[in-house]
Amino acid sequence: MGSGIVVDATSFPVPATVARRQPGPLAAEFIWHAIRQTIVRRRATVDTTAQRRELRQTLAERRRALSPPQRMAAAQGLRRSLELLPEYHTDARVAGYWATDGELPLNLAIPPLATRGQQFLLPIIGKERQLRFAPWQAGDAVEPNRYGIPEPVAPPEWFAPFQLDLVLVPLLAFDRRGHRLGYGGGYYDRSFAFLKEQVRPTEPLLVGIAYDFQELEQIDLEPWDVRLDYIATDHELIDCNPEAHA
């Protein structure tokens, strides 16, 4: 799924200091090797970006193609998977998302929280592309944000990411190591970046939510990516830290 973009070496200017020196054979070979490495790095970046864009589009289209009965069956399977996670039954503040664009709905996973006295929260886009989370329950008013995703209207209180206990994270693709392909905005990675400095798993626990078909064999980890602790699909609960939990 590469981009098919070929980078011409002549488009890379040779530094002025190099041009003036008239290098010998060994020096010239060293310079050309350095230019080739630059070409490879730039092309790899272009290819990776193009591949991720194509993959996001393909998976989003497959989600949107699901029928209402398929979505309902997936929601039932997701609830069964989450019930295998002890924190889903006990954590006080559980953040989720309002399903849009074919995302796996949480409509069957949310009601049990209220009956157990747990609080459900929805994300709100804040300053500097950071997320904060506001309590929400059925019947509370919502309005679409800049992306058309419903958010609580004028919530009386909100919480920072580090104040949460459990977070149900939307995604487009995942692998079993807890690597996630998101939507490209970086909101979750930026908001939970503090977890990269902590021994995992810890609070808040990050649980990716996905259809089973969104699993990939491997997703390359970018420097800014925050790894997930679990993946809950419509078929299973995947432990991304089996050694730590053992």
Side-chain angles (χ1 to χ4, degrees), residues 171 173-181 214-221 227-228 230-231 238-240:
L171 52 83
F174 69 91
D175 66 24
R176 289 182 175 255
R177 298 176 298 167
H179 300 164
R180 163 185 175 268
L181 180 65
Q214 292 175 265
E215 179 180 353
L216 300 180
E217 182 177 350
Q218 178 177 329
I219 297 176
D220 292 334
L221 190 65
R227 194 167 47 82
L228 301 167
Y230 289 89
I231 310 289
I238 301 168
D239 187 350
C240 303

Side-chain angles (χ1 to χ4, degrees), residues 193-241:
F194 63 91
L195 289 175
K196 293 174 68 68
E197 308 301 324
Q198 300 185 26
V199 177
R200 307 284 294 280
T202 186
E203 291 184 354
L205 199 70
L206 301 185
V207 180
I209 305 297
Y211 296 99
D212 184 67
F213 64 75
Q214 292 175 265
E215 179 180 353
L216 300 180
E217 182 177 350
Q218 178 177 329
I219 297 176
D220 292 334
L221 190 65
E222 299 289 354
W224 55 83
D225 287 342
V226 178
R227 194 167 47 82
L228 301 167
D229 298 300
Y230 289 89
I231 310 289
T233 77
D234 48 330
H235 289 176
E236 62 181 323
L237 178 68
I238 301 168
D239 187 350
C240 303
N241 301 279

Side-chain angles (χ1 to χ4, degrees), residues 8-141:
D8 186 355
T10 59
S11 65
F12 290 83
V14 177
T17 54
V18 173
R20 289 196 299 267
R21 289 180 183 172
Q22 298 298 322
L26 291 178
E29 178 62 24
F30 174 81
I31 293 169
W32 178 235
H33 176 73
I35 293 175
R36 282 202 305 266
Q37 291 298 104
T38 302
I39 294 172
V40 170
R41 284 196 299 270
R42 292 192 182 185
R43 181 172 181 178
T45 300
V46 171
D47 284 349
T48 300
T49 302
Q51 288 172 358
R52 289 194 170 212
R53 186 185 307 114
E54 183 178 346
L55 185 59
R56 286 187 175 103
Q57 180 178 353
T58 300
L59 289 170
E61 289 175 352
R62 184 169 179 182
R63 287 191 323 195
R64 288 192 290 266
L66 294 174
S67 66
Q70 288 175 315
R71 295 185 199 282
M72 179 58 66
Q76 292 171 342
L78 172 64
R79 177 171 169 176
R80 288 193 295 268
S81 296
L82 286 173
E83 287 174 346
L84 300 175
L85 185 68
E87 289 83 356
Y88 170 68
H89 298 271
T90 59
D91 280 351
R93 293 173 184 158
V94 180
Y97 58 87
W98 189 291
T100 61
D101 198 32
E103 291 175 330
L104 209 169
L106 300 178
N107 59 307
L108 299 183
I110 296 174
L113 300 175
T115 62
R116 295 192 293 258
Q118 296 165 273
Q119 193 174 46
F120 179 74
L121 305 96
L122 285 174
I124 298 175
I125 296 177
K127 297 179 180 178
E128 299 180 356
R129 301 169 75 89
Q130 293 274 351
L131 296 176
R132 51 186 183 174
F133 295 82
W136 180 87
Q137 56 185 354
D140 288 352

Side-chain angles (χ1 to χ4, degrees), residues 125-126 128-131 146-147 180 184-192:
I125 296 177
E128 299 180 356
R129 301 169 75 89
Q130 293 274 351
L131 296 176
R146 71 187 73 169
Y147 300 108
R180 163 185 175 268
Y187 287 96
Y188 280 87
D189 290 323
R190 190 174 294 105
S191 300
F192 294 95

